[in-house]
Structure formats: structure tokens, C-alpha cells
Amino acid sequence: MTLPYGDLGESWRAARRPAAGIHLDSAACSRSSRLVLEAVAKYAGEESEVGGYVAEANAEPALRQARSAIGTLVGLSGDDVVFVDSATTALARLLQAWRLPAGTRVGCLIGEYGDNLAAFRDAGLQPVLISADTDGRLDPGALRDLLRDRPPTLVHLTVMGSHRGVVQPAHEVAEVCREFDVALVLDAAQAFGHVDCAVGADAVYSTSRKWLTGPRGVGVLAVGQSLALRLPLVQDAEHPPENAAPVRVLESAEGHIAGRVGLGLAVQEHVAAGPERVHARLSALGRLTRELCGEVGGWRVHEPTEEPSAVTTLAPPPGVDVAETRARLLREHRILTTAIPPDRAPLEMTGPVLRISPHLDTTADDLRALAAALQAITGRLDQPV
Ligand SMILES: *Cc1c(COP(=O)(O)O)cnc(C)c1O
């Protein structure tokens, strides 16, 4: 199988410093381009030269452009976008602003991200599970039944989980939620810059450092006007900064402004590359990973081969330790992957998995090297001591 858009892979690689090995860990933290790193450094220099708050005021046009481009990617407007420090903070802040009564029901999947379940708990919300198939994929018919018969106050959909490369049918979910007038919140931490997130949700949040390849320490929260105006914290707030939308009160006043500037540039690079082309190449990389790693050394691929995402998760053969395998892949083969513990999706996962998350520059040879390394390590691990 040949990977589509080889030009995209080459330009993505050429735009970056060389990786120290084979980097298959973009779902955890990807690699920023040289231009993004330079923009971050340049902005940091300006803080020192002209003063941090003057530098921030000077960067306002760039930040406005960043909000606007992010808004477009998530199907909302630039005025709806605020910067925070992570996706986790974005959800916590949204729920804090919403002040839903204790016991409020929130629809989510069995594969919901562990920290999101903790955030629901902290906010006093009661998760209601929406039926899914054996891959963990939401069943839109079951969602329709739930929203018709006993609707939760909101649906929270993690478009792609941390623990599995399955892409949820976000467009259909948005359609059903609109039909029954139930608010929809998307966790796009793994979807932003990876698959389409402009589905018409009421709120979308994400992080900079994963598929969008922006700097660490930056998260984004976008809240559409109609939901924003219903949030008590937004209603009660003093006026936000001049000319800013009411939702801006949710933004962290203190923050990694250089990172926000860098994310703005990373978003521009993503848009210039063409989000659909990016998605097509990432999907092909996921498919090739699954083809090459299926059955290697007894590891089992969780995703359907054709799943349109770059993420592959592998369940270990009996007796093989995932964290140890991840450590040896890095130490002995310079291949960076992730060991995912069951608490990432505590209701769904029954054991740890090894996650492979290539970005655009990954080659078929890289993935063959991974398969060979996995075979070599597992073969040896399998031997009785
Ligand atoms: C990484 C991740 C998060 C958390 O993002 P942070 O920026 O680290 O807070 C939330 N949800 C999913 C699905 C993730 O993969």
C-alpha cells in the first residue's frame, strides 16, 4: 500500500528538526515546526525587551487571527474561543461556569476519558451511558432513543479517546442533539487537527500539543454564543476586556502567551497543508500500522483496519508487560510510543495497551521497523526466565 500525499509527509518533515529516533507519539505530544519554535522564542524575547503586557498587546492581531482560525476548525467563531492551559482545564472551567445542579445527567460513552469522568464527578454530574458497539462506537439510534425518552441535560462526546483510535460519529451525534435541543460538548483533544471537528457542537475544547503540533501548556475552549449566554458565571461576570465577547471571562488571565502565539502559527500550517489531506494521510498511516502490527508477536489490534484515524492500540499477548515494552522500544530501538494504563478509560479498558500514533512524516519503513522491534522484544519477553 502506498501512502497518499507523500509531498505532505516530506514538507512536514522538512519543516521540523530531525527526530531523535522514530516518533510515534503524536497522540501524547507531537513535534512543533521550526517556525513555531522560532515564533515562541521571538515572542518570549519581546516580553523581555518591551515588557510582558506590552508584548501581549502587540500580539493581539496574531492572537485574534489564531482565535478565528481555531473557531473555524471547530465550527464556531473566533469570538467564541478562549485560551486556557490544557484540555483538562477547559472542561473544568466550562463545568464550573455552567453551575449545573448536583445530579444533572450527562450523556457519555463507556469509553469516556478517565479525567473527564473525574471532572463530571467533581461538578456533581451523573454520567448516563449511551450505547456503543463492541468497538466502543456510539450508536446514533440508541442516542436518539435516549434523548427522546429521558434526555440528559447535555451530551459529552470524546470524538476520539486516548485509549483507542476509533472515531466517533460526531456529525450524526450533533444532528441528533440538535433535533432534541440537547447541548453537545466535544472533547476534541485527539480530534483537533486530526479529524473534522466542525460539526455544530455547542462547545468544543482541545489541546495544542497533540495533532495540531502546537506548543505544550496551551488549551482551547470554544463556547457558542447560545450556550455561553446561558452560563451563570458568564452572566454574572464583570465586563470582559474591551471589545471581547462575554465568554472571554473564561480565559486564563495569566498564561503561556508565547505558546498561544505558537499555536496560532501551527493552526495556520495545518490549514495550509489542507485538513482533508492531513486526515487522509493520517488515516492511511493508521491503516498501514494496523496491517503491519496485527498479529506481530501475538499483539492484538483493537481498531478495525480501515478506521479513519492515525491511532492504533495494541493489546499485549499474555504475560507481556506494556510499560516494559514501551520502555524497551525506546531504549533499544529508539522508537517512541505510549503505554496507556486502564485508568485512561476506566469503564471500558480491561488492561493496558500500547498506543502507536504516527504523524504525517512517518514512513512505511518506520512502521516496518516498529513491527520488527515489537517482534524482537516480545519474542524475548515470551521466553521463560
Ligand atoms: C490528552 C487528552 C485530554 C487531556 O488533555 P490535556 O491537555 O492534557 O489536559 C483529554 N481528553 C483526551 C481524549 C485526551 O487524549
Side-chain angles (χ1 to χ4, degrees), residues 95-118:
L95 295 178
Q96 183 192 27
W98 210 329
R99 294 184 193 148
L100 292 161
T104 295
R105 297 161 71 247
V106 49
C108 65
L109 284 167
I110 194 166
E112 186 57 84
Y113 188 64
D115 284 350
N116 293 348
L117 292 170

Side-chain angles (χ1 to χ4, degrees), residues 27 85-89 113 116 158 160-162 187 189-190 205 207 209-210 355:
D85 63 346
S86 68
T88 305
T89 302
Y113 188 64
N116 293 348
T158 295
M160 284 185 60
S162 167
D187 172 343
Q190 292 295 349
Y205 63 92
T207 181
R209 71 178 187 278
K210 295 178 180 172
R355 184 180 64 191

